[in-house]
Amino acid sequence: MRDVAVIGIGMTQFGELWGKSIKDIFVEAASKAIKNAGVDHIDSMYVGSMSSGLFVGQEHLGAVLADYLGQNPIPATRVESACASGGAAFRAAYFEVASGASDIVLAGGVEKMTDGADVTDALATAADQEYEVYQGVTFPGLYAMIANAHMNQYGTTREQLAAIAVKNHRNGANNPNAQFRNPVTLEQVMNSTLVADPLRLLDCSPVSDGGAAVILCSMDIAKKFTATIIKIKGTSQASDTIALHSRKSLTTLNSVVTAAQKAYKMAGVTPNDINFAEVHDCFTIAEAVVYEDLGFCEKGCGGPAAEEGRTAIDGKTPLNTSGGLKSKGHPVGATGIAQIIELYEQLTGQAGKRQVKNAHIGLAQNMGGSGASCVINILEAL
Amino acid sequence: MRDVAVIGIGMTQFGELWGKSIKDIFVEAASKAIKNAGVDHIDSMYVGSMSSGLFVGQEHLGAVLADYLGQNPIPATRVESACASGGAAFRAAYFEVASGASDIVLAGGVEKMTDGADVTDALATAADQEYEVYQGVTFPGLYAMIANAHMNQYGTTREQLAAIAVKNHRNGANNPNAQFRNPVTLEQVMNSTLVADPLRLLDCSPVSDGGAAVILCSMDIAKKFTATIIKIKGTSQASDTIALHSRKSLTTLNSVVTAAQKAYKMAGVTPNDINFAEVHDCFTIAEAVVYEDLGFCEKGCGGPAAEEGRTAIDGKTPLNTSGGLKSKGHPVGATGIAQIIELYEQLTGQAGKRQVKNAHIGLAQNMGGSGASCVINILEAL
């Protein structure tokens, strides 16, 4: 298997992009990535998108976007794993380069969520339609159940969850592409509108439009384009039961545990070697649980870690320096690729006021549904 | 790049499967494939599905189906390229095995189209929503434009198109999994209801439910499981403009021409070496155009070839021995995998009354939209 590197990145502003179509958004992100990489062509492309059919009435998105990007006749394929679609597209591109079939491949992600669809209903198609959604539960409700169980089992507090939102908004304030660049206080989170007890509005990632793209290539080509090689050191993916009710525990995400073990093994590292991570904080409780399941600490410490500053930019393991899904925004198909972009910016020292000191190895964890899919990628600056 | 083989196949009956959900259908096909291959595990799985969101309100299909197949925690990803979703899923599985990352991977496809959705509207999301569909054109109309242009440019006749439907129904009558096992006459096709001039009802593939799955593995593992190795000799994919109006010609599908050139090159063969092919006859005209664009003859001969029997089972290049999309049925996400299954059955001499003599090398051509995506796979019996 050939080594693979990331050599270029591009993304749009995340937010409510009323003036731009899904095509405009993707073409902007992909064009930036191609220009940033400095390549004169791409061999193929993958696009992560959760539900362009339900959101904007357009399937066949790979072909549509290749056309509007002016890239015919290259192969163009959409990859979908709900909110982990971006991570899954990245892995598809990785395999194509690693196999030797292609040298330079674009992995992108895009979602246009604000254009009229019933967003909560569309997102709920990532849960078990038959046994969860038809009974009336949507994702805020599912993650609220996880939060209640975590509070009950480990004593996680409402304040600790709020501390995660406060941290991510603080980070996002320094990210020019973030949807929300306003810091929030603990009191604001605690007093925001109740969505699904105990989760409040400021525990929830927003509805967003946005696109992101990266260029992957073989290691020998990467060396021609850049001095600082960002190598894909580990990549993994795992699944879990689609419905929460089928799981033995609500407080451990098995797909995260399994994918982490595989990614660490492939990369030859332990959690202690990870200098920073982007994780899938669709709700504050998700960041707490994922932090634990990635092995950064024992079960139950996710809440205290945020409260005590261990996950802050100057903490032991900075989490979501980009602002995370909470502050940066969560155009679902683009999120997994945007995580890779934050890793790239940190590893190449381009993260500005968000820069983590001594950032050599970063991890991105992207999740679908209530954890039925998990994709993990570990990148290293050589 | 490692050599990859297909070692097991499984599919459901294609048709109106009122008693089965999308989960039931996929699990049946995938279970058959796993049993047929004789493997005790799979490392990961890809599922081709065009629009499970619009058809049955369920996205995140990879994770859903891995769960119901009892395969957690393996990676499970949905791949979408409209009606070429099955072919694209097959390629994704191919890259994962070829790279060395996994040894045994399932590639499947499924669609449940008869459960209440407005099927024509849902299928139309594979065309350019903004510039084609919003103006009132759907796929029968798009292919009718291609048919009219082909008739005008090459003198293709109504009778020649009908001959394609007659041949495919004749073949499908011998396929136990086909949706329509009734032969039809030239007169029946010519007198069937007009859908979009010149295309009539019996020129159009039907609305279908169905699932299909195959098991891919590395060559060294394949040798442990079977004496007759079915090797993936060539694989390719190409894109074209999403909208017909952007093309220089309506009568040549550039994605087919490009993908064919790449697949032949990778396989080290010419069209003359292909003993038989499954092609994407979503409408009769599509089979005629694809036959030409695959290089089996000069442009314009697609109609006469069917009329003169050159594409019959005992002809020079048998096409759609399975019955094709026309007679076997077209559950869109499953079609690309079902084509691979027909290749496998022919190459291993299991095609019964449909058996092609001296079937050593077969080609499968799977297409999305009006040819904006094309996937070609060439398989060989070693």
Side-chain angles (χ1 to χ4, degrees):
Chain A
M1 198 155 62
R2 299 202 294 181
D3 282 342
V4 183
V6 177
I7 58 161
I9 58 170
M11 69 183 283
T12 67
Q13 179 81 38
F14 281 7
E16 298 183 8
L17 309 181
W18 299 107
K20 293 177 183 174
S21 73
I22 192 169
K23 298 169 188 169
D24 298 332
I25 294 169
F26 182 82
V27 167
E28 179 184 331
S31 300
K32 283 181 181 173
I34 291 169
K35 188 177 176 191
N36 182 257
V39 293
D40 62 358
H41 78 285
I42 53 176
D43 295 323
S44 82
M45 58 182 263
Y46 292 90
V47 182
S49 178
M50 179 190 151
S51 195
S52 57
L54 291 168
F55 286 130
V56 295
Q58 181 70 67
E59 307 281 13
H60 207 183
L61 205 60
V64 171
L65 298 177
D67 181 12
Y68 280 81
L69 188 59
Q71 291 292 334
N72 293 144
I74 67 163
T77 304
R78 173 180 163 220
V79 176
E80 186 263 317
S81 285
C83 304
S85 297
F90 185 79
R91 272 171 61 82
Y94 170 84
F95 288 132
E96 187 164 331
V97 177
S99 74
S102 291
D103 291 325
I104 305 174
V105 177
L106 183 146
V110 67
E111 213 82 54
K112 174 73 177 170
M113 301 170 72
T114 60
D115 255 5
D118 185 325
V119 174
T120 300
D121 276 3
L123 288 173
T125 62
D128 190 315
Q129 272 293 29
E130 202 171 347
Y131 292 110
E132 292 186 321
V133 185
Y134 289 172
Q135 317 308 324
V137 66
T138 56
F139 279 105
L142 291 168
Y143 276 94
M145 291 186 221
I146 294 174
N148 279 315
H150 205 269
M151 288 170 149
N152 190 48
Q153 190 167 353
Y154 298 114
T156 301
T157 66
R158 201 26 285 192
E159 288 77 5
Q160 289 167 350
L161 296 182
I164 291 171
V166 170
K167 166 185 70 69
N168 288 349
H169 271 260
R170 190 169 61 232
N171 293 346
N174 290 318
N175 184 346
N177 291 318
Q179 181 164 1
F180 298 128
R181 299 192 59 189
N182 58 309
V184 297
T185 65
L186 208 65
E187 291 66 35
Q188 284 174 316
V189 181
M190 303 279 287
N191 293 325
S192 61
T193 307
L194 193 63
V195 173
D197 191 29
L199 299 178
R200 292 174 176 272
L201 189 65
L202 289 177
D203 289 292
C204 309
S205 58
V207 170
S208 316
D209 305 325
V214 298
I215 307 292
L216 290 78
C217 70
S218 60
M219 195 55 75
D220 52 334
I221 289 182
K223 287 175 183 165
K224 293 179 191 164
F225 279 91
T226 173
T228 308
I229 306 280
I230 306 301
K231 179 186 168 184
I232 302 166
K233 196 174 175 68
T235 180
S236 69
Q237 183 177 347
S239 61
D240 195 359
T241 65
I242 188 79
L244 278 192
H245 62 238
S246 304
R247 301 183 190 169
K248 287 184 184 162
S249 165
L250 290 185
T251 55
T252 295
L253 295 167
N254 280 331
S255 65
V256 180
V257 173
T258 303
Q261 287 168 346
K262 288 167 69 180
Y264 291 143
K265 186 179 175 189
M266 179 176 172
V269 299
T270 70
N272 273 332
D273 299 313
I274 305 297
N275 303 127
F276 67 102
E278 289 285 300
V279 302
H280 197 93
D281 61 320
C282 46
F283 299 91
T284 48
I285 183 63
E287 177 170 315
V289 174
V290 167
Y291 178 76
E292 300 164 4
D293 290 341
L294 287 173
F296 290 129
C297 68
E298 297 299 304
K299 284 303 294 181
C301 77
E307 197 168 44
E308 295 161 12
R310 279 182 271 155
T311 57
I313 285 183
D314 58 356
K316 179 170 181 285
T317 310
L319 285 194
N320 287 327
T321 54
S322 70
L325 285 55
K326 176 67 203 79
S327 161
K328 184 179 53 188
H330 183 28
V332 286
T335 283
I337 301 294
Q339 291 179 326
I340 300 288
I341 289 177
E342 180 69 10
L343 262 54
Y344 186 92
E345 292 194 337
Q346 290 285 355
L347 293 171
T348 54
Q350 301 178 57
K353 290 183 180 174
R354 311 187 314 280
Q355 186 64 48
V356 171
K357 284 184 189 165
N358 302 315
H360 301 302
I361 300 179
L363 178 150
Q365 180 270 341
N366 186 202
M367 195 151 73
S370 48
S373 292
C374 177
V375 176
I376 293 179
N377 287 291
I378 298 175
L379 271 57
E380 179 181 27
L382 297 187
Chain B
M1 196 155 63
R2 299 202 294 182
D3 282 341
V4 182
V6 178
I7 58 161
I9 58 170
M11 69 182 283
T12 67
Q13 179 80 37
F14 281 7
E16 297 183 8
L17 310 181
W18 299 109
K20 293 177 182 174
S21 73
I22 192 169
K23 298 170 188 168
D24 298 332
I25 294 169
F26 181 82
V27 167
E28 179 184 330
S31 300
K32 283 180 181 173
I34 291 169
K35 188 178 176 191
N36 181 257
V39 293
D40 62 359
H41 77 285
I42 53 176
D43 295 323
S44 83
M45 58 183 263
Y46 292 90
V47 182
S49 179
M50 178 189 152
S51 195
S52 57
L54 291 168
F55 286 130
V56 295
Q58 181 71 66
E59 306 281 12
H60 207 182
L61 206 61
V64 171
L65 298 177
D67 182 11
Y68 280 80
L69 189 59
Q71 290 293 334
N72 292 145
I74 68 162
T77 304
R78 173 180 164 220
V79 176
E80 186 263 317
S81 284
C83 303
S85 296
F90 185 79
R91 272 172 62 81
Y94 170 84
F95 288 133
E96 187 164 331
V97 176
S99 73
S102 291
D103 291 325
I104 305 174
V105 177
L106 183 146
V110 67
E111 213 81 55
K112 174 74 177 169
M113 300 170 73
T114 60
D115 255 6
D118 186 323
V119 174
T120 300
D121 276 3
L123 287 173
T125 63
D128 191 314
Q129 272 292 30
E130 202 170 349
Y131 292 110
E132 292 186 320
V133 185
Y134 290 171
Q135 317 309 322
V137 66
T138 56
F139 279 105
L142 291 167
Y143 276 94
M145 291 186 220
I146 293 174
N148 279 315
H150 205 268
M151 288 170 149
N152 190 47
Q153 191 167 352
Y154 298 114
T156 301
T157 66
R158 202 24 286 192
E159 288 77 5
Q160 290 167 349
L161 295 182
I164 292 170
V166 170
K167 166 185 69 69
N168 288 350
H169 270 260
R170 189 168 63 233
N171 293 347
N174 290 318
N175 184 346
N177 291 318
Q179 181 165 2
F180 298 128
R181 300 191 59 189
N182 58 308
V184 296
T185 65
L186 208 66
E187 291 67 34
Q188 284 174 316
V189 181
M190 303 279 287
N191 293 325
S192 61
T193 308
L194 192 64
V195 172
D197 191 29
L199 301 178
R200 293 176 175 271
L201 189 64
L202 290 178
D203 289 293
C204 309
S205 58
V207 171
S208 317
D209 306 324
V214 297
I215 308 292
L216 289 78
C217 70
S218 60
M219 194 56 75
D220 52 334
I221 290 182
K223 288 174 183 165
K224 293 179 192 163
F225 279 91
T226 173
T228 308
I229 306 280
I230 306 302
K231 179 186 168 183
I232 302 167
K233 196 173 175 69
T235 180
S236 68
Q237 183 176 346
S239 62
D240 196 358
T241 66
I242 187 80
L244 278 191
H245 61 236
S246 304
R247 301 183 191 169
K248 286 183 185 163
S249 165
L250 291 186
T251 55
T252 295
L253 296 167
N254 281 331
S255 65
V256 180
V257 173
T258 303
Q261 287 169 347
K262 288 167 68 180
Y264 292 143
K265 185 179 176 189
M266 179 176 172
V269 299
T270 70
N272 273 331
D273 299 312
I274 305 296
N275 304 126
F276 67 102
E278 289 286 300
V279 303
H280 197 93
D281 61 320
C282 45
F283 299 92
T284 48
I285 182 62
E287 178 170 314
V289 174
V290 168
Y291 179 76
E292 300 163 4
D293 290 340
L294 287 173
F296 290 128
C297 68
E298 297 299 304
K299 284 303 293 180
C301 78
E307 198 167 43
E308 295 160 12
R310 279 182 271 154
T311 56
I313 284 183
D314 58 355
K316 179 170 181 285
T317 310
L319 285 194
N320 286 328
T321 53
S322 70
L325 285 55
K326 176 68 204 79
S327 161
K328 184 178 54 189
H330 183 27
V332 286
T335 283
I337 301 294
Q339 291 180 327
I340 300 289
I341 290 176
E342 180 69 11
L343 262 54
Y344 186 92
E345 292 193 338
Q346 290 285 355
L347 293 171
T348 54
Q350 301 178 57
K353 291 183 180 174
R354 310 186 314 280
Q355 185 65 48
V356 171
K357 284 182 188 165
N358 302 316
H360 302 301
I361 300 179
L363 178 150
Q365 180 269 341
N366 186 202
M367 195 151 73
S370 48
S373 292
C374 177
V375 176
I376 292 179
N377 286 291
I378 298 175
L379 271 57
E380 179 180 27
L382 297 187

